[in-house]
Structure formats: C-alpha cells, structure tokens
C-alpha cells in the first residue's frame, strides 16, 4: 500500500498542462450528498449526455453511504470536468474503456491516471478536482463512492490502510490502496454489472448493492495482497499495451473456437513470447487464465436466464463436451451449474408463496392493503 511521501507515477502519464477555471465553468458537476440518504431509500437516475462536451448515457444509484455512477460516452472536448465535493469520501474506480485522468483544481499535473481495464481504491479529500477523458474515444467507467464512515467500518483499526486514509483526510490529500493501478478482472466486471442490472427494489436493492460493494472491496484487497505488482522498470510501450487490449478483444470474440497463442500473437502483430509476457503485465493473469475466468463468469450469468440449457452454455463457452464444462464450473465455483437453476426455481416458488400468504392476510383482515 502506498505510504505518505511516496510519489504516484504511471507509465504514459500525460504531461503537465495549464487549465484555467474559465475553461471548466460550463462543464462542472457536483457530487450528490449520498451521506444523507435514509436507510431504506434508493434513488436511481438514468443519465443522457448530449451537449458540446460529451454524448452517451449513464446511470446513478444512491443509497445509504453509497453512490454508484456508471458512464458510457464519448468526450467531444479536451476540457476537463470540474468536480465539486462537499466532503471526503472513498472511491472505487474501475476504468473499462479509455483513460481517466484526475487533477487537483490548483495543479496542472495529474495525481492519478487510469488506463483501460485498470482499477484502484482511493481517498478523495474534501477538495475540488478536475476529471479528464481522451476525446473521440469510447469511455466506459464505474465510480463507486462510499462514505468514510462506511469504509472505516469495513477495516480493523490496525489495518495499514486505515491510518493511511485517516492521514489523507486530515492533510486534505488523496491516498491510494496501491501505488500502481491494478488490472480489472472478469469477476470484478461481473460484480459491477450485477449492481447495474439489479432487479430488486427498495430496501432489498439496498442490501444487495451494499453486499456487492463489500464484495468488490474484498476483491480489491485480495488482489492487491496476492498479485505481484508490475515491475516499475518495465519498458512496456503504449503500442504494446494497445496490442494486449486487442489480444483480449480477439480472444473474447473467438470464445467458442479459441485461438492458439501462436495464432493470437500473429493476429495482433507480435510474437508468442511477448504476448504471454505483456498480457500478464497488463491484465494480471495469463491469456488462457483470463479466458477461463471470463468463461466462468459469463456462463454463470447465462445460466440464470430462463430456459437456458447447460449444454448450450457449454457450447457458447467453447467446450466440446458439457461434462468438461460442468467439471470446470464445479472446480471454479465449488458447486455444479445445475445448482443455479435449482436455486432460482426455489426462490421463485418462495416468492409466489409469500405473495399468496400476503393476499390471504389481506382478505382475512389481518393486514390492510396500502394503495
């Protein structure tokens, strides 16, 4: 974990630029006060972007101690967004596409830059800042913001990050889980979209989202503690990074008929040795390790859909035999794929039972129907 006095440096960091406040006057945004949301309250808003600065869509979700923002858009201008903050909070930033740059309002050099498929956990102090995305490129990003009270309740006081973030609050300085941004994993992506597409409502949704946010915190901490960080002396060029992202794209486009490492390397214009070395540096795992994790997370989502057969999912995930898929699924998750379908049936039956009980109680006069 980063400690006081360490300097955040990233390969490919953009040079210092001079940005006047005048440039951001028409392009500003204020964090909502999500610390004031009631315990049983959930607020959801769909967002449309269509102005001189960006075009696209997004979604925000506010509940007690948590503010989730998702955006998918194209920036039309280099002008950064001036972000107003009413208090310190902790942000889990997951950058899926494009680069995200954070700058202090009074400084010209970024204090953090997220490249595609990177994440980190950072303390954002009570201070305005500037956020910038590369124009003309597709941007997709999740920013999960939590109150400091919620965050510190998840950590023991003796945890090194507890004191580190407390110092950041008192000194009004940003602080980070990792000195280097970490690679986003398929499991993280799956959990993020579970939050985005959650079908619960009211307090049930609040419980679900809070559980998933804690799960993401656990994934971030576990990855940081288990995964060796990239070599700071690595000479990985931007061209090589782009090739690895292309390799990931080609890999997932051919999930039903996976390419060999040799063929994949040939398609992206590199050799097998560099493919294996650079892919692990960019994504934190091997080529086929990433493919396996993606297959498992994707298959879990597909199995939750009605009338989806295990054999069909196995075929879509590139397995010639359903038995091989079942064995891989069991090894990865610890339970057989048909357990998901059985659980869904039981939940549906239980929900129907509760509805019937509720109607009987209303008809008998035990409870009064509220309109």
């Amino acid at each position: 974990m980063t400690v006081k006095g360490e300097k955040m440096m990233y390969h490919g960091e953009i040079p210092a630029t001079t940005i006047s406040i005048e440039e951001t006057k028409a392009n500003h945004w204020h964090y909502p006060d999500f610390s004031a949301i009631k315990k049983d309250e959930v607020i959801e808003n769909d967002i449309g972007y269509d102005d001189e600065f960006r075009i696209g869509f997004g979604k925000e979700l506010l509940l007690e101690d948590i503010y989730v923002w998702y955006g998918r858009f194209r920036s039309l201008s280099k002008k950064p967004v001036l972000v107003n903050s009413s208090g310190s909070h902790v942000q889990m930033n997951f950058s899926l596409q494009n680069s995200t740059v954070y700058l202090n309002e009074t400084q010209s050099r970024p204090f953090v830059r997220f490249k595609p498929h990177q994440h980190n956990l950072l303390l954002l102090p009570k201070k305005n800042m500037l956020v910038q995305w590369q124009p003309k490129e597709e941007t997709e990003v999740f920013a999960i913001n939590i109150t400091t009270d919620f965050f510190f309740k998840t950590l023991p006081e003796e945890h090194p990050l507890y004191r580190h973030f407390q110092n950041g609050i008192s000194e009004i300085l940003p602080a980070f889980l990792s000195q280097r941004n970490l690679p986003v994993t398929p499991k993280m992506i799956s959990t993020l979209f579970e939050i985005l597409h959650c079908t619960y409502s009211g307090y049930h949704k609040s419980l679900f989202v809070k559980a998933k946010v804690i799960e993401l915190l656990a994934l971030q901490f576990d990855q940081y503690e288990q995964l060796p960080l990239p070599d700071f002396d690595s000479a990985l060029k931007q061209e090589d990074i782009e090739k690895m992202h292309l390799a990931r794209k080609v890999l997932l486009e051919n999930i039903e008929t996976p390419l060999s490492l040799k063929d994949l390397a040939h398609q992206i214009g590199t050799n097998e040795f560099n493919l294996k070395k650079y892919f692990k540096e960019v994504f934190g795992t091997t080529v086929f390790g990433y493919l396996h994790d993606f297959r498992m997370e994707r298959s879990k989502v597909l199995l939750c859909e009605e009338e989806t057969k295990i054999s069909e999912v196995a075929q879509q995930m590139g397995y010639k035999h359903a038995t091989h898929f079942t064995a891989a699924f069991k090894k990865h998750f610890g339970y057989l794929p048909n357990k998901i379908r059985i659980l869904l049936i039981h939940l549906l039956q239980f929900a129907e039972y509760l509805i019937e009980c509720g109607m009987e109680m209303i008809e008998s006069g035990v409870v009064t129907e509220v309109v």
Side-chain angles (χ1 to χ4, degrees), residues 14 70 74 94 106 110 138 173 210 212 226 232 294 334 343:
I14 64 172
Y70 168 77
R74 288 183 183 273
F94 299 87
T106 56
E138 184 79 14
L173 290 172
K210 284 183 180 180
K212 290 299 173 181
Q226 301 296 330
F232 278 82
F294 181 86
L343 179 60

Side-chain angles (χ1 to χ4, degrees), residues 52 72 164-165 201 227 350:
E52 62 180 298
R72 186 166 186 175
H164 182 48
F165 275 28
S201 61
L227 183 68
F350 184 62

